[in-house]
Amino acid sequence: MKLNIYLSGEIHTNWRENIMQGCEAEKLDVSFSAPVTDHGASDDCGVAILGAEDKKFWHDNKGAKMNAIRTRKGIEDADVVVVRFGEKYKQWNAAFDAGYAAALGKSIIVIHSDDHQHALKEVDAAALAVCESASQVVDVFKYVLTSQLPS
Amino acid sequence: MKLNIYLSGEIHTNWRENIMQGCEAEKLDVSFSAPVTDHGASDDCGVAILGAEDKKFWHDNKGAKMNAIRTRKGIEDADVVVVRFGEKYKQWNAAFDAGYAAALGKSIIVIHSDDHQHALKEVDAAALAVCESASQVVDVFKYVLTSQLPS
Amino acid sequence: MKLNIYLSGEIHTNWRENIMQGCEAEKLDVSFSAPVTDHGASDDCGVAILGAEDKKFWHDNKGAKMNAIRTRKGIEDADVVVVRFGEKYKQWNAAFDAGYAAALGKSIIVIHSDDHQHALKEVDAAALAVCESASQVVDVFKYVLTSQLPS
Amino acid sequence: MKLNIYLSGEIHTNWRENIMQGCEAEKLDVSFSAPVTDHGASDDCGVAILGAEDKKFWHDNKGAKMNAIRTRKGIEDADVVVVRFGEKYKQWNAAFDAGYAAALGKSIIVIHSDDHQHALKEVDAAALAVCESASQVVDVFKYVLTSQLPS
Amino acid sequence: MKLNIYLSGEIHTNWRENIMQGCEAEKLDVSFSAPVTDHGASDDCGVAILGAEDKKFWHDNKGAKMNAIRTRKGIEDADVVVVRFGEKYKQWNAAFDAGYAAALGKSIIVIHSDDHQHALKEVDAAALAVCESASQVVDVFKYVLTSQLPS
Amino acid sequence: MKLNIYLSGEIHTNWRENIMQGCEAEKLDVSFSAPVTDHGASDDCGVAILGAEDKKFWHDNKGAKMNAIRTRKGIEDADVVVVRFGEKYKQWNAAFDAGYAAALGKSIIVIHSDDHQHALKEVDAAALAVCESASQVVDVFKYVLTSQLPS
Amino acid sequence: MKLNIYLSGEIHTNWRENIMQGCEAEKLDVSFSAPVTDHGASDDCGVAILGAEDKKFWHDNKGAKMNAIRTRKGIEDADVVVVRFGEKYKQWNAAFDAGYAAALGKSIIVIHSDDHQHALKEVDAAALAVCESASQVVDVFKYVLTSQLPS
Amino acid sequence: MKLNIYLSGEIHTNWRENIMQGCEAEKLDVSFSAPVTDHGASDDCGVAILGAEDKKFWHDNKGAKMNAIRTRKGIEDADVVVVRFGEKYKQWNAAFDAGYAAALGKSIIVIHSDDHQHALKEVDAAALAVCESASQVVDVFKYVLTSQLPS
């Protein structure tokens, strides 16, 4: 069994690298995809390629649609969608991805601190695992793929 | 043509009533559903019916799942899902509903103030109309059902 | 909102009547379907209509397929599938129905006593509510449809 | 033609190995997946990775959901789901998997002794082959892939 | 529970009327649809409405496509597809309908005499009931809808 | 049998009325939906309701998305999609609707004059009937619903 | 582009080999699957592996279901389903496969002589190409994959 | 992440080569498919392989259906469908492909000059990017796959 994993959500810490390195260290049969995590490029891609806009709304609209080409491909090809909610920002795109994945019947793993527990109860209720750290996510994949629990 | 409409999101103002009354005043052929909007009941339904929990996580988990019976039925039966983002709270459940509706191919209408424009760009990009007020939503439904624009 | 409910599982107690009467007493907007609950007819329907079989396997096979016309119609039309596991028998058909409903994305409510908790953990994990009694199921439907909690 | 096969159900005998070795001996073009068959790990995985629970229900719930990441991946990727019912335990998860596979339109093969025939009639009615032994399952795959019957 | 039934296949005997009258006599909650059973109209509809063709192939092609508007609507709306194979003709359209219905997951009932048993084994294997007479089909519907077996 | 019919395409002649009146004269059990056929309202709906745009692209984009709420509802609910190509304009939205309907498996009827035959060959190839006039479409529906050919 | 092709229908002539050799000679990027074409094995597989039956109906039923494991896998994985109707026998399984493939939206190519044209009009109407010979089918695949017409 | 791309639409300029060469120069992980772009072969394939027709309608019908084997395979396997509208011809097949792709939920990129903006507003509204040149499309793929914007 091999798992295709999409890493959605917060882009300001290195949690994706932690999961990827942890899985590599365990030699797990996984492949990863993720959104563009360069915040500036992600915000400006639409106008940079397709032409400038006077209004912020359309500036953002062109960018969000271009990013959707990658995001939807990533989610639709995934067996598991991991969504991390960080400490800052509204992060509505993370919750949107979680809802999108849930409607497609994907297995969902959520990562968040205890502070966000009540506000994320609907997202957590759609998840198969709720974690607090990237290392727990690695442990989940190790168990799912090898039957081995952390020692 | 008749439209089944699900009204998702913010529960602290009377925007749902405004839309429903506006549609009724225009005699539009619409039906509405919505989540439970009694905040206290929504938070406590799980434990009130199925038994108390010591941990807040499971208290919320039981409630969120029970609410999902209503929420998913509402979204799956809807032709149009209207999602309003208010001024306060994280409102991740609203964004989750929008993602869920998007993956099901529902027509989505978003309502939010200009303050949230950038943070909601991914949600807006999945919408067929982005409004600032409930009365605009009524105008959209009037036009879609009767071909008449606001005078 | 109206809910179509399929009542699957144990056929030796009157739990279906309890739920139906409870919903009627609360004037809830629900409709019900269920498998044939006449044990003898359910076992013999195949051969009674389509001709006798020497082997028990084919006797049962003809009956189980005929019952499937009703069972699958009921589950596929349902918004919510309630599955009750009783104290006796293997009840593999109940678990089969639960799996079938889960793969179709139906909301699932399970009823069982605490004795069966461990053996039903996979079924419970696919459910949106786990109840011990028919009256709790009525309470769930009352809340989902009217926002009212039991007093 | 290559077949992806999911081996669901009883975990206390070596029937999976028998099927896998039999297919290997026949050089059949098959790949296998299965649930975690380490009973202890399967029961405790949730709390071992995600944190302890006081209540048995949540202990089991966390584990069952984590196992579902593997189980659903295995069933959804499979062309054929083989479900074995053993002599002991309730095995409701096996019947749940069979129902889940049936709703997805998977080819189902059931293995059980004659003792369970009547209780499994609904599951058998959803199957394309009902076997009593692992070696029969190997014969089925050999025939399906090579047109050769057992000599 | 109400059943929508499509009556496919042989058009030279009054088996459809027998089933419809039998269900009416039993006051069963059923509705029926069927292909056009006027053989001449069915053959010539395409050219009669859309213009003549020199080649028989296109004469038939236009007719077959026009009939497909009705046939596919009937099958797609049906809960149960009854397919009768008569004594004469190739009746490949009946087998085509059965395959179409099977792929859509419809419940299938086949009617044929014992003479055709071997030639119809693949069709029968996809059916939930194999009958020899229209009255058996009525008995099946009576049982499925009312739990009552023929006396 | 009742048919839900969506009337897509050209909006500058009264072909929709001809079909609707023809079906009414024949007392056929049909219901109709269609896009907004007020050309001006259809072009300006977006900005009239949601606010003006400087760029023609966004003016049109807002309008096209608002119209899509109606168009997609109409096509998705339809049993039959009738698409008429007129003599003027590019009419790419008509061909887009035909492709959309084809991918959803809808029965498609095309109306066009012989002038457009070659340019519409891909659309015609996806249709179950290719007509030159509205009265032929009425004849098709009469035949499909009543088995009667035009006299 | 590579095409996965399922070769359904008549098993008494070497048309499958003709198509496969023709495609190989043209070095086309295709892969083939087909039902078991050993008539005797196909008829007896069920009882040979799963145990004898007294009744011909169940003898055939067990075999037909076992063959369905291969048939459905082949059709579901195929991009194109080629169905050949020969001169003899009822060949209802071929028409069943064609209907099954049509409902799944597969591209269908039919091969039959002119004698069967009228009887196969519904099957032909669901096809994208109607051929009389295996060499035409090879020409179709060559054109579809390489844009080259036969010289 | 790798993208499968279908290049639909205009066949009289070398825009496909420009995109393919641009992607190759950037070493992007993409694969391409496209319709047959030999106009003559595309028009005549049906009759060249399956036999001549007197009527232009059937000549074209046979060809359009044969081309559909390739077109639908290409679109259904694609992650992204790029549709270019050129300066000449009706190009209804391009708009048909866009509608077909939209209904399947594919990411759509449209290429057209500003002249066609108003006439293509419905197609553009279904797209995630609207470009004027092939090089912009290459930039989109480069960004989506590598996060890098054009310098």
Side-chain angles (χ1 to χ4, degrees), chain H residues 30-62:
Chain H
V30 292
S31 65
F32 293 98
S33 64
V36 169
T37 56
D38 176 333
H39 197 150
S42 171
D43 271 4
D44 297 334
C45 60
V47 296
I49 295 173
L50 302 177
E53 293 294 334
D54 294 333
K55 292 190 179 178
K56 187 66 162 56
F57 183 86
W58 298 119
H59 178 112
D60 283 347
N61 188 265
K62 280 170 131 174

Side-chain angles (χ1 to χ4, degrees), chain C residues 37-111:
Chain C
T37 55
D38 176 333
H39 198 149
S42 172
D43 272 4
D44 296 334
C45 61
V47 296
I49 295 174
L50 302 177
E53 293 294 333
D54 294 333
K55 291 190 180 179
K56 189 65 163 54
F57 182 87
W58 297 118
H59 178 112
D60 283 347
N61 188 265
K62 280 170 131 175
K65 282 185 176 164
M66 194 173 291
N67 285 315
I69 298 174
R70 178 168 171 145
T71 305
R72 296 198 178 175
K73 165 73 174 167
I75 295 177
E76 280 160 20
D77 282 2
D79 301 307
V80 183
V81 174
V82 181
V83 190
R84 177 170 152 79
F85 290 84
E87 298 313 301
K88 291 189 288 187
Y89 306 109
K90 290 292 190 182
Q91 306 181 78
W92 282 320
N93 58 328
F96 181 88
D97 283 358
Y100 197 91
L104 297 179
K106 304 294 177 183
S107 290
I108 296 172
I109 297 175
V110 187
I111 313 176

